[in-house]
Each structure stands twice: as C-alpha cells, then as structure tokens.
Amino acid sequence: MDFIRDYILLSRDALLSKAWAYPVLGVTYLASHPNLYSALSPVITKAVLTSVSITGALFFFTYLPQVAFCALFSGPLAFVTATLLVLSESYVLVSVVSKAFFLSTAQDRIFDAVLLQLGKQQLVERGRQVRSNSSGFKVLGRSLTQPLSRFSKEGTMRYVLSLPLNSIPGIGTAFFLLYNGIKAGPSFHARYFQLKDYDKTARDAFVESKRGAYTAFGATALALNLVPGVGLLFNITSTIGAALWANKLEDTEASSAGSGRHVDHVGQSAGDVSVEDKVRVKLDPM
C-alpha cells in the first residue's frame, strides 16, 4: 500500500510541477527557429530514417506474436497493447543505435546552442568555446568537457523489465511511463549538470528536490519518443525543452540570489517561460 501511495503522491507532484510542458515547448521552439532546424536537418533525417526502419521491422516480424501474447491479459484490446509493446521495444533499439552513432554529440550541441540563444553564454563557456563572427553571430566551438555517455545499463534494464506493464490497458501504460520517467527525466539534464560542475552528490540532491518535475518531464518525453517514425525527432525537441527548463532554473537561481530569498518550486512551470532569443547564434550543420 505504501508503494501505491508513493506513486499517487509522485503523480500529483508531477502534474502540479507543469514540467511536462517543456518537451512540448521544445517542439514549438524548433518550429519557430528555422535556422536551428536547418542546422539540425542532417541529424533529423538520420533520426527519422533510423526510427522508421527499426520500428517497421519490429512491426513486420514481431507484432502478431505479441498480439497473441497480449490477448491473454487484455482480450479484445490486445491489438492496442501489442502496438504499445512494439513501440516501446523499438524505442530501446532506436535509442541504442542512434546514441552510439550520431545522436549523443548532437544533443550536447543543441542544448548549448539553445542556452546561448537565451543569453546564458557564461554557463555555456564552462563547457564549450564560444566566439563571435564578423556578422555578429555567436558560434559554438569545440567542447571543453568529456563527451557524455547517455547509455545507462541500469536504465535500459529498468525499461525492458517494465515493458510487460504495457499489456495492461491504460493504467499499465501510465505506470510504465511514470516508472521510467523517474530515471529518464534527469538524463535530459546531464549536460546541464556537467556545465554546473555538479558532482554525484550535488546532482542527486538537486534531482531529488525536483523529483516530481523530473518525472513529469521524463514521462512526457518518453511518451513522445514512442510516436512511430518520428520518436527520435521528439528526442531532439525534448533536448531543446530541457535547455529551456535549464534556462528558467538559471533565471530563478539568479533572482533568488539577488533578492536574498529562497524561492521554492519556481522555475518548474513552463507556463511563464520566455523563449525569446537574446543572442543570435550560428549553428553549423551537424
């Protein structure tokens, strides 16, 4: 009963945090920044092709057997639950392939570019060279930090072992998203923690203080990643959303420090986030 109560409280905190809106804001931000989209187009093309190929293959070879399996638990809804299972399985394979070959480095550059556009040059310069060109644009240079490894054996095992939850219509999928969102959410801020120079203790304390918000972000990002064919594109836009949230957290921290007051639960809401560019940034094609 304590286990169920804890997840009810976590779900409430996740909903009230409004951090679930940031992955969606990432979509609108990319759509409103054609220069950013142009620079990302090679990565987006690779992402869509990888996602379509792997998802299509899994549906062709594994969908009907999984319908038969799901029929044992969900009866006439077996076709729906089997679809969710295949999409969840394809997410694992697509993530492993994309992060191994092209996505991880691109995510760091996207994150830094958005922070730079929003005026956080000092923060970005902790981990990357930034210069100005003759046209007055800021240009991202080489990274000054070790490349991040976003592949987590623990997270992957957690995800795989919880896949059968999708065979339970409705509540099973919701629990699956929340359960994995707890771990997935903070991974989108891995670059932020690196730029802030947080050690493991500081990182864990920061995440725990915003556990509901990170769960909301992770669950929403994961749900978007399950969209057939364009899941990896949403992974990119969720990275943008994570940068927008990091910008809001920085503004909140600065405001709190300037006033000498501790401000609780500020900056977790996307409702009043500003996405207006403060700096013109040129991002070379990836």
Side-chain angles (χ1 to χ4, degrees):
M1 291 299 294
D2 289 342
F3 177 75
I4 296 175
R5 184 193 63 189
D6 289 345
Y7 265 88
I8 291 175
L9 292 175
L10 180 63
S11 300
R12 184 201 63 185
D13 291 344
L15 181 63
L16 294 178
S17 75
K18 299 183 182 178
W20 42 263
Y22 280 100
V24 179
L25 274 177
V27 177
T28 60
Y29 189 90
L30 181 61
S32 64
H33 289 73
N35 291 336
L36 183 60
Y37 179 84
S38 177
L40 291 175
S41 58
V43 174
I44 291 173
T45 300
K46 292 177 185 176
V48 172
L49 288 176
T50 301
S51 185
V52 168
S53 299
I54 292 178
T55 303
L58 282 178
F59 267 103
F60 184 80
F61 290 107
T62 71
Y63 179 64
L64 290 179
Q66 292 191 73
V67 169
F69 170 78
C70 290
L72 300 174
F73 303 94
S74 49
L77 294 177
F79 289 98
V80 176
T81 53
T83 298
L84 291 173
L85 274 174
V86 173
L87 292 176
S88 301
E89 292 156 2
S90 70
Y91 168 71
V92 175
L93 294 177
V94 168
S95 295
V96 170
V97 171
S98 62
K99 289 178 181 179
F101 291 102
F102 62 87
L103 191 59
S104 288
T105 302
Q107 282 181 289
D108 290 347
R109 286 178 58 80
I110 296 164
F111 193 91
D112 291 354
V114 173
L115 280 180
L116 189 58
Q117 285 177 328
L118 297 174
K120 298 301 183 289
Q121 180 170 341
Q122 187 175 1
L123 178 62
V124 173
E125 286 180 327
R126 296 179 188 177
R128 187 179 298 278
Q129 291 180 340
V130 178
R131 60 180 176 83
S132 300
N133 66 13
S134 58
S135 301
F137 284 83
K138 298 292 183 181
V139 181
L140 291 176
R142 69 179 182 86
S143 178
L144 303 176
T145 54
Q146 291 290 330
L148 288 168
S149 174
R150 287 186 169 83
F151 179 77
S152 168
K153 291 182 180 179
E154 177 188 355
T156 302
M157 286 300 298
R158 180 187 183 94
Y159 185 94
V160 171
L161 291 175
S162 61
L163 277 175
L165 288 170
N166 287 295
S167 63
I168 305 172
I171 191 171
T173 300
F175 187 81
F176 169 81
L177 292 174
L178 278 175
Y179 179 71
N180 288 282
I182 293 172
K183 292 295 183 182
S187 70
F188 280 94
H189 265 174
R191 178 61 172 172
Y192 179 53
F193 300 147
Q194 188 179 49
L195 293 174
K196 295 288 283 185
D197 198 27
Y198 283 169
D199 59 17
K200 186 179 185 303
T201 300
R203 183 176 65 249
D204 290 347
F206 187 85
V207 170
E208 184 60 30
S209 71
K210 295 174 173 55
R211 190 164 179 256
Y214 275 113
T215 300
F217 187 101
T220 305
L222 180 57
L224 290 173
N225 287 342
L226 299 181
V227 177
V230 292
L232 273 188
L233 171 59
F234 285 125
N235 194 289
I236 292 170
T237 56
S238 292
T239 299
I240 294 173
L244 296 175
W245 186 16
N247 174 69
K248 183 63 178 179
L249 290 171
E250 286 296 292
D251 288 344
T252 298
E253 181 181 304
S255 175
S256 177
S259 65
R261 295 181 293 109
H262 175 69
V263 182
D264 231 357
H265 302 300
V266 177
Q268 296 179 24
S269 169
D272 59 347
V273 66
S274 172
V275 294
E276 182 180 351
D277 292 353
K278 295 182 179 179
V279 176
R280 295 190 302 169
V281 176
K282 185 179 187 303
L283 187 61
D284 295 329
M286 298 181 185

